[in-house]
Amino acid sequence: MKIKTTIAALSLLSMIGFGASAAELVNSQQAENLQSAGTITLSGVAGVPSDIHQQLSQKADMQGASAYRVVEDRNQDNWHVTAEIYK
């Protein structure tokens, strides 16, 4: 249940713009029409979901992605997040 809450929070935060070139958070249905470009991970990150969203977006941008989808996340004092990126 914690994962669903986190993903929902990240989805809501994706509506907030972080710049024109920022990779956007997408859900599974939206990702069906996109081409996968691999995965990215964040580990040992402290902060709130908006911090995680911003860091994932920046990391996806560096890989040339326009979107990403969170496929796994854990928070045990620090966040560990894995996301699939899309072109």
Side-chain angles (χ1 to χ4, degrees):
M1 194 66 166
K2 207 175 200 182
I3 291 173
K4 288 182 182 179
T5 303
T6 302
I7 291 173
L10 288 172
S11 295
L12 289 173
L13 291 169
S14 72
M15 294 179 202
I16 301 170
F18 287 99
S21 66
E24 294 185 33
L25 177 65
V26 295
N27 62 34
S28 297
Q29 188 175 27
Q30 293 167 317
E32 289 177 4
N33 299 319
L34 301 173
Q35 179 183 0
S36 177
T39 59
I40 56 174
T41 60
L42 294 175
S43 294
V45 179
V48 296
S50 62
D51 297 337
I52 306 308
H53 169 73
Q54 186 174 16
Q55 290 184 35
L56 283 171
S57 181
Q58 289 172 347
K59 198 164 187 177
D61 284 345
M62 290 189 304
Q63 299 290 323
S66 62
Y68 66 93
R69 177 177 63 93
V70 175
V71 293
E72 182 253 342
D73 65 350
R74 293 189 307 265
N75 184 7
Q76 296 174 346
D77 296 328
N78 290 310
W79 286 94
H80 170 83
V81 181
T82 302
E84 186 169 6
I85 58 174
Y86 302 93
K87 292 196 176 209

